[in-house]
Amino acid sequence: MLLCVNSHHQPWNSTLPTLTLLPNCKTLNDVNQIHARLITTGFIRNNSLTTKIILNFISSPHAHLVEFARYVFFTRHAFRIRRQQEDPFLWNAVVKSYSHGCEPKQALAMFCLMLENGVCVDKFTLSLVLKACSRVGLVKEGMQIHGLLKKMEFGLDVFLQNCVIWLYLRGGFVEFARQVFDRMPNRDSVSYNSMIDGYVKRGMIKSARDLFDCMPVEEKNLISWNSMISGYAQSKDGLDVAWELFEKMPARDLVSWNTMIDGCVKRGKMEMAHHLFNQMPKRDVVSWANMIDGYAKLGSIDVARSLFDGMPKRDVVACNAMMAGYVQNGYCVEAVKIFHDMKSKSEMLPDDATLLIVLSAIAQLGHIEKGIVIHRYLEENGFSLSGKLGVALIDMYSKCGSIGNAMSVFGDIERKSIDHWNAMIGGLAIHGLGELAFDLLMEMEKLCLKPDDITFIGVLHACGHAGLVKEGLICFELMRRVYKVEPKLQHYGCMVDIFCRAGQIEEARTLIEEMPIEPNDVIWRTLLGACKNQENFNIGEPIANHLIRLDYNDPSSYVLLSNMYAGRGMWSDVSKVRMMMKERNIKKTPGCSWIELEGTVHEFLVQDKSHPQVTEIYSMLYG
C-alpha cells in the first residue's frame, strides 16, 4: 500500500514525493492513490510529471498501470497543441504498448490518430505498426504502410524493409517478400535470414538453399545455418544434407544440436540421435525431451524412462514427453503417476499439454474418480475449457461411461468450437444415443455452425449404433448436398455399418460397389460380419475369401468364414479353414473384458486363469 504524504523536507508544490512512489506502484489501489494525489495537488496539469508517469507505467507487466498510463496520455498529451516537428517518443511508447501487448490492432488505430492530428511519425513508429500488422495478419493495412514508406525519405531504411519482409512472410505472401528483398539497395543478415526462414517454413527448401548459397559469407551466422539445417532435417529425404551442413558449420549452438537430434528422432534413427546426444558439449531440457520422445515412439519405453531418470533437472516439457510416451505405449497408470508427482512439486506446475495427456490417460483407463479429480483441479486453477481442455474433458467423461457429466461440461462451455460439438457427438455415439447425436447436428444447423467431416462421422456412427437408418441417410445427404463435404472412406464405412446393422445386406453391397473410393478391409469385414449374422452365404463366402487374399494374417476373416460354413453344416470346409490357419500359424485373438472394483482395474481373457483370485471367482460363478 502506498502512503501519499508530503515530506517535511519538500515544499508543498514539489513533485518529488509523487515520483518516489512510482517504482512501488503495482495494484489498482496504488494507481487510484497516485491519481487522487495528482488531482488534489493539481499536478495532473504538470506535463513533465505526467510524461514521467506515462513512461514509468506504459511498459509495466501490470495491466492497471498500463491502462492508467494510456488514460493520462489521452487526457493530458494526445490532443494538446504541439510544436512543429516535435519528437513522437511519447506517442511511440503508447503505440508500443499496443503493438507488443494484447491489442495489436489498436497500434494501427493509434498510427491513424497520429496522422490525423499532424503528429510527426518516425522509423520507430512505422516499425511498431508493421509489427502489429504482422502479429494479427493485417496484410492489406500493412501494404498501405508499405506504400507510405515509399513516399518517405527514410523508407528504404534496412530495418524498416526487414519489417515489411516479415509482414509479407507472416501473411503467407512469399513472392511479395522476395520482391521487397530483391529491390533493397542494402541488406543485412536479418534480411537474408528472414527470407530463408520464410522459405523453410513453407517447405520451399530449394529456394532457401539458393539464397543461402548466394548469401555473403560475412552475413552468414548461426541463425542462417540453423534455418537451413532445420529445413533439411524436417524434409522427407533431407537428413543427409542436414548432416553435411551440420558438419560444415563454423560454429554450433544448442539449437544446432537439438535440430539435428529432432530430425533423427522424426526419422526413427535413434542410433544417430543418441550419437549426437552423447557428443553434445552442453544439453538442455529440449535435448533430453527429444530423446525421450524418440525412444517412446519406437516402443522402447524402458530406455525413455532411463533417460528421464538420468536428467540432472526436469521441467514440464520433459515430464510431458515422458507422460506422452507412456500413454502412446499403453502405460497410462505410470503417466498419471508422473502427473501427481508434478503436482506435489511447487516449481513444476502442469500446463495445458500436461492436462491434455493426463485426461487422455484417464480416458483410456476408464477411471472416472481420477477424471473428476482432474476436472476439479482445472476449475480450482482457472483453466479455460473453451479450448482443447474442454474437448478432452468431454471425451474423458464419455469414455469413462459418464455421458451425463460429459453433457454437463458441454452445456457449461459458453464459447463452443466445432471440436467441442464433435467430442459431444462422438460421446453420444459411444453410448448408442443416436437420436441425441442427430438432434445436436440439427441444433448446429440452427446456430449456423458449419459441421466438418468429423462431425458427420460422429453422427453416422451414432445412427449406426442406434439403428437409425433414415436419420443416417438424411445425415449423409446433408453432408454431400447441403454442406458440400466430400465423403471419405470413414463416411462410407459408417453408411455400410448402418445398413448392415439393420440387416440391409443388398443396400450395403450396392453402396460398396458404387463407392468412388476403393473400399478397405474394414468395410468388407463389416459386410462379412452382417452376412454371417443374416446367414447370407452367397454374398459372404466370396467376401471372406477376398479378405483372406488381402491380408492372410488377420484371424477374423478365417473365423467368420469358418462360422459361416459351420452354420450350413459344411464341416469339411470348416476343417479346411482351420487347417489353413494352423499352417499359417494364425491364432484367434481371445476376447477381453475389464472390470473396475474399488479403484483397481481387473482384466479377464477368455478361458484365462491367471487372475490371483481365480479360485474364488469360479467358485462364485459356478457355485
Side-chain angles (χ1 to χ4, degrees):
M1 183 178 177
L2 300 176
L3 292 174
C4 297
V5 292
N6 279 323
S7 167
H8 294 296
H9 303 291
Q10 298 295 336
W12 68 271
N13 61 344
S14 172
T15 60
L16 191 59
T18 305
L19 287 172
T20 57
L21 295 174
L22 300 185
N24 299 319
C25 190
K26 289 181 176 63
T27 67
L28 180 60
N29 187 48
D30 296 341
V31 169
N32 290 336
Q33 286 190 51
I34 293 285
H35 193 190
R37 182 175 176 81
L38 289 173
I39 292 169
T40 55
T41 59
F43 290 154
I44 193 75
R45 293 183 293 276
N46 186 315
N47 285 340
S48 175
L49 177 61
T50 52
T51 298
K52 287 173 183 175
I53 289 171
I54 293 166
L55 293 176
N56 264 277
F57 287 178
I58 200 66
S59 57
S60 169
H62 305 290
H64 303 305
L65 274 65
V66 176
E67 285 301 319
F68 182 64
R70 290 170 182 167
Y71 165 78
V72 172
F73 172 78
F74 283 116
T75 54
R76 308 306 309 175
H77 289 268
F79 305 106
R80 64 180 177 78
I81 298 171
R82 276 170 292 280
R83 300 187 304 274
Q84 196 171 10
Q85 298 298 313
E86 185 177 336
D87 192 325
F89 78 96
L90 204 57
W91 280 84
N92 287 346
V94 179
V95 172
K96 184 180 178 182
S97 75
Y98 287 118
S99 176
H100 290 60
C102 301
E103 304 172 277
K105 282 186 180 179
Q106 291 302 315
L108 187 64
M110 282 285 295
F111 179 71
C112 294
L113 194 63
M114 291 175 76
L115 296 179
E116 287 171 8
N117 285 275
V119 179
C120 177
V121 297
D122 60 10
K123 288 188 281 188
F124 189 47
T125 317
L126 289 157
S127 71
L128 291 170
V129 181
L130 285 167
K131 179 182 174 65
C133 292
S134 301
R135 283 186 63 196
V136 288
L138 297 175
V139 179
K140 184 181 175 183
E141 291 79 357
M143 290 174 86
Q144 292 175 330
I145 307 293
H146 185 195
L148 183 63
L149 275 179
K150 292 183 177 182
K151 299 176 183 178
M152 296 184 163
E153 58 185 45
F154 54 75
L156 291 175
D157 177 80
V158 175
F159 177 64
L160 287 175
Q161 292 291 297
N162 288 341
C163 290
V164 174
I165 288 173
W166 188 239
L167 165 80
Y168 288 132
L169 289 173
R170 284 286 297 267
F173 296 91
V174 185
E175 296 82 4
F176 289 176
R178 184 58 194 255
Q179 286 177 23
V180 174
F181 177 85
D182 288 339
R183 291 171 184 169
M184 288 175 71
N186 299 302
R187 305 180 188 111
D188 61 8
S189 60
V190 176
S191 319
Y192 282 96
N193 290 338
S194 296
M195 276 309 309
I196 289 169
D197 181 64
Y199 281 135
V200 164
K201 283 179 177 169
R202 280 152 192 83
M204 302 168 69
I205 195 69
K206 186 180 182 304
S207 300
R209 183 59 186 265
D210 290 343
L211 193 57
F212 178 79
D213 288 341
C214 71
M215 189 176 178
V217 176
E218 65 274 11
E219 297 293 358
K220 284 183 183 176
N221 56 23
L222 272 169
I223 296 171
S224 325
W225 286 93
N226 287 341
S227 291
M228 285 310 307
I229 289 170
S230 173
Y232 279 117
Q234 303 304 319
S235 63
K236 189 176 179 182
D237 302 310
L239 191 58
D240 290 340
V241 184
W243 195 277
E244 288 174 18
L245 286 171
F246 183 74
E247 294 291 338
K248 289 179 184 175
M249 285 182 78
R252 299 168 186 155
D253 63 0
L254 259 174
V255 175
S256 319
W257 289 94
N258 287 337
T259 302
M260 278 305 301
I261 289 173
D262 184 55
C264 293
V265 164
K266 282 184 167 60
R267 298 288 168 273
K269 298 182 181 294
M270 289 309 299
E271 285 186 17
M272 291 171 66
H274 215 131
H275 173 71
L276 285 165
F277 184 75
N278 289 335
Q279 282 190 317
M280 289 181 79
K282 185 181 177 183
R283 300 169 186 146
D284 64 0
V285 175
V286 175
S287 321
W288 291 91
N290 275 336
M291 294 299 296
I292 291 166
D293 180 56
Y295 278 115
K297 282 177 178 170
L298 287 180
S300 303
I301 199 70
D302 291 339
V303 181
R305 182 65 204 223
S306 176
L307 283 164
F308 183 71
D309 290 338
M311 288 182 70
K313 188 177 181 182
R314 298 173 192 159
D315 72 349
V316 176
V317 175
C319 290
N320 289 350
M322 192 66 244
M323 285 174 65
Y326 272 136
V327 174
Q328 287 162 16
N329 287 276
Y331 296 95
C332 296
V333 173
E334 288 79 358
V336 175
K337 186 177 183 303
I338 291 178
F339 171 75
H340 288 298
D341 289 344
M342 288 174 71
K343 276 208 310 176
S344 65
K345 297 172 183 174
S346 58
E347 76 280 3
M348 205 185 297
L349 292 174
D351 60 10
D352 281 28
T354 318
L355 292 157
L356 287 170
I357 296 165
V358 78
L359 283 169
S360 173
I362 291 167
Q364 291 185 42
L365 289 168
H367 285 180
I368 185 69
E369 292 84 2
K370 288 185 172 68
I372 292 169
V373 170
I374 301 297
H375 188 180
R376 194 178 301 124
Y377 178 85
L378 293 173
E379 290 179 334
E380 289 172 355
N381 290 277
F383 283 93
S384 171
L385 299 183
S386 298
K388 291 181 180 179
L389 281 173
V391 176
L393 197 61
I394 294 166
D395 182 64
M396 181 274 295
Y397 275 130
S398 299
K399 288 177 179 173
C400 287
S402 181
I403 195 66
N405 278 349
M407 293 181 77
S408 175
V409 171
F410 178 76
D412 289 342
I413 297 170
E414 291 183 11
R415 296 181 180 178
K416 300 179 184 73
S417 70
I418 187 67
D419 294 328
H420 292 98
W421 289 86
N422 289 348
M424 193 64 252
I425 288 170
L428 293 169
I430 292 170
H431 290 263
L433 301 171
E435 290 182 2
L436 285 175
F438 189 78
D439 289 345
L440 274 186
L441 178 65
M442 295 299 102
E443 191 177 337
M444 288 176 74
E445 194 170 20
K446 288 177 188 174
L447 295 170
C448 299
L449 183 62
K450 187 179 178 182
D452 60 13
D453 61 323
I454 298 169
T455 315
F456 289 109
I457 289 171
V459 177
L460 289 169
H461 186 53
C463 289
H465 277 280
L468 304 175
V469 179
K470 186 181 79 173
E471 287 81 354
L473 285 166
I474 291 170
C475 177
F476 196 69
E477 290 306 306
L478 270 175
M479 176 180 70
R480 291 196 302 175
R481 301 184 189 280
V482 177
Y483 293 104
K484 308 298 180 187
V485 175
E486 193 66 31
K488 296 179 180 177
L489 197 62
Q490 297 97 314
H491 300 105
Y492 283 108
C494 287
M495 282 307 302
V496 169
D497 183 54
I498 287 171
F499 285 131
C500 287
R501 285 175 183 267
Q504 299 179 16
I505 305 295
E506 288 295 339
E507 288 82 352
R509 185 173 72 164
T510 302
L511 180 63
I512 292 172
E513 289 171 351
E514 293 176 355
M515 279 171 57
I517 311 168
E518 185 71 26
N520 63 2
D521 61 319
V522 176
I523 290 177
W524 284 118
R525 200 167 286 115
T526 302
L527 183 56
L528 177 59
C531 289
K532 186 259 177 187
N533 293 336
Q534 299 295 318
E535 298 182 357
N536 195 322
F537 182 79
N538 292 333
I539 295 177
E541 184 188 28
I543 292 172
N545 287 317
H546 172 68
L547 281 168
I548 289 169
R549 286 193 298 273
L550 276 178
D551 184 6
Y552 69 85
N553 286 318
D554 191 320
S556 62
S557 305
Y558 295 91
V559 173
L560 285 168
L561 181 59
S562 174
N563 290 343
M564 287 176 70
Y565 285 139
R568 293 176 69 89
M570 300 167 67
W571 302 111
S572 61
D573 292 291
V574 171
S575 298
K576 285 178 186 176
V577 174
R578 289 181 178 174
M579 184 60 68
M580 200 188 303
M581 290 179 73
K582 191 174 182 180
E583 288 171 355
R584 296 176 179 179
N585 196 28
I586 295 167
K587 296 178 181 177
K588 181 181 179 294
T589 306
C592 179
S593 297
W594 290 273
I595 297 172
E596 183 180 353
L597 185 65
E598 296 179 355
T600 303
V601 176
H602 302 267
E603 183 183 65
F604 297 95
L605 299 172
V606 173
Q607 296 182 338
D608 178 26
K609 295 186 179 180
S610 61
H611 195 279
Q613 293 173 280
V614 67
T615 307
E616 296 94 316
I617 291 167
Y618 277 104
S619 175
M620 176 72 73
L621 287 171
Y622 299 113

